[in-house]
Amino acid sequence: MPRIAYVNGRYVDHRDAAVHVEDRGYQFADGVYEVVHLFRNRLIDADPHLDRLGHSLVELQMAWPMHRSALKVAMHEIVRRNRFATGLLYIQVTRGVAPRDHKFPADVCSSLVMTLRSVPEFPDDMREQGVGVITLEDIRWARRDIKSVALLPNVLGKQAAAEANVYEAWLVDGAGLITEGTSSNAWIISGDGVLITRAADHDILRGITRQAIVELAQELGIPFEERSFSVEEACNACEAFMSNSSHFVTPVTRIDDRVIANGKPGSLSTALHSRYVQYMSDFSKIG
Ligand code: PDD
């Protein structure tokens, strides 16, 4: 079965999927993206992802590449053509192809690329053992609410984490407060059982998984506080975890060289993960 990608109106073999060298995404990182989980044949939270894509496009004065409803049809079509049940759908919109010039080109059409990659279901060892993170200075720009493809600081952070043999880097602002991970939101649970994550303003990406977790926590009766926390507070927390569309709720058991609580995934993180998996299973299957 060949892998199928979508490039500007055409479904093509993934090996042949290519864009023009003067695509502004390639030359200026002038583009935005979304990653949507395909879980057992269900596209999870497709609408909130499209809402956030709309936010990113508006903030960058970029046009939708097609009507939102048509994009949704194309998302389902690429799933249908790839014929696997669990994977990650990558959607990228750039300002389009134009001779290299920093200012916006006139009369340009946005480019749309979509790929789907098969991934295994959430690995048991991540849930059972948790992961480690390092902390790094957050050197990103001031509009992290826009899901821009300009990810160089995130790439450098993730590489530093890999070199330190841990899974993620948590980024720290000038006041010593954790913003988020390089590709995930950061959470802690305090000694008195309060779930805490940073407010979603311009400093972090408003995670779609984050939003679902807030609602599921409410349903489970877990008290929730939206506020910033320091590295020190995180190291002394009862539990810590990260969230994103690719790995849901992932327990964090070590920050730099400090072990969180007893070094094992906590009960609330585990409960939230299970509830999130149930939440995904409740989406209707793609026909
Ligand atoms: N990243 N913060 C950052 C910086 C992210 O890149 C992501 C997601 C998140 C979590 O958002 P969500 O819950 O909507 O996935 C938070 C994706 C998965 C990526 O870049 O691959």
Side-chain angles (χ1 to χ4, degrees):
M1 265 306 293
R3 232 179 116 191
I4 304 297
Y6 174 97
V7 183
N8 291 321
R10 294 193 311 134
Y11 294 93
V12 295
D13 190 316
H14 189 268
R15 286 169 301 193
D16 304 324
V19 293
H20 194 275
V21 288
E22 284 191 314
D23 189 288
R24 289 178 63 94
Y26 182 57
Q27 296 201 328
F28 294 113
D30 190 2
V32 298
Y33 75 105
E34 284 296 325
V35 177
V36 184
H37 207 104
L38 174 71
F39 182 75
R40 301 179 191 164
N41 234 338
R42 299 155 165 98
L43 274 178
I44 307 305
D45 278 334
D47 283 312
H49 279 284
L50 289 174
D51 291 345
R52 187 173 64 189
L53 180 64
H55 169 75
S56 298
L57 292 171
V58 163
E59 293 302 304
L60 297 179
Q61 300 166 57
M62 213 178 274
W64 281 86
M66 59 173 70
H67 196 278
R68 177 181 164 137
S69 55
L71 175 52
K72 218 167 158 185
V73 170
M75 287 161 66
H76 284 91
E77 181 60 16
I78 196 167
V79 170
R80 196 187 64 77
R81 289 184 186 230
N82 277 284
R83 294 178 194 283
F84 49 77
T86 294
L88 294 175
L89 173 63
Y90 178 79
I91 308 167
Q92 178 176 299
V93 181
T94 71
R95 202 179 303 275
V97 176
R100 189 177 185 280
D101 181 1
H102 288 60
K103 62 185 183 296
F104 297 171
D107 304 325
V108 75
C109 294
S110 309
S111 299
L112 171 63
V113 166
M114 287 191 283
T115 55
L116 188 63
R117 176 160 63 96
S118 167
V119 294
E121 287 196 9
F122 190 80
D124 282 342
D125 58 335
M126 276 170 91
R127 194 181 55 242
E128 283 159 15
Q129 285 153 39
V131 299
V133 302
I134 54 169
T135 57
L136 292 177
E137 182 188 353
D138 196 340
I139 58 170
R140 298 173 300 161
W141 74 327
R143 288 303 307 276
R144 299 151 192 162
D145 56 308
I146 299 171
K147 199 160 171 59
S148 147
V149 296
L151 289 172
L152 211 37
N154 310 58
V155 167
L156 295 176
K158 195 70 104 184
Q159 178 62 20
E163 286 172 13
N165 287 317
V166 294
Y167 186 73
E168 177 63 299
W170 276 6
L171 307 172
V172 182
D173 68 15
L177 303 169
I178 291 166
T179 51
E180 59 184 334
T182 66
S183 66
S184 56
N185 289 119
W187 305 72
I188 56 169
I189 294 167
S190 66
D192 47 359
V194 180
L195 177 65
I196 301 165
T197 198
R198 189 171 176 123
D201 49 21
H202 288 177
D203 290 340
I204 65 163
L205 186 74
R206 182 185 287 270
I208 303 304
T209 322
R210 174 189 182 283
Q211 200 43 47
I213 291 169
V214 169
E215 284 160 27
L216 297 176
Q218 200 171 5
E219 197 193 289
L220 293 173
I222 303 172
F224 171 61
E225 216 176 296
E226 204 173 52
R227 66 163 172 86
S228 304
F229 52 88
S230 66
V231 176
E232 190 55 28
E233 184 178 3
C235 291
N236 290 314
C238 242
E239 301 184 27
F241 66 88
M242 44 178 257
S243 69
N244 65 17
S245 300
S246 29
H247 289 102
F248 324 135
V249 176
T250 304
V252 170
T253 48
R254 181 181 282 271
I255 300 175
D256 295 324
D257 53 1
R258 309 263 301 268
V259 172
I260 310 299
N262 64 359
K264 300 215 161 56
S267 57
L268 288 183
S269 316
T270 306
L272 279 168
H273 180 77
S274 305
R275 183 62 191 88
Y276 191 79
V277 171
Q278 183 57 48
Y279 170 78
M280 293 195 293
S281 305
D282 290 344
F283 274 82
S284 58
K285 278 195 177 177
I286 291 170

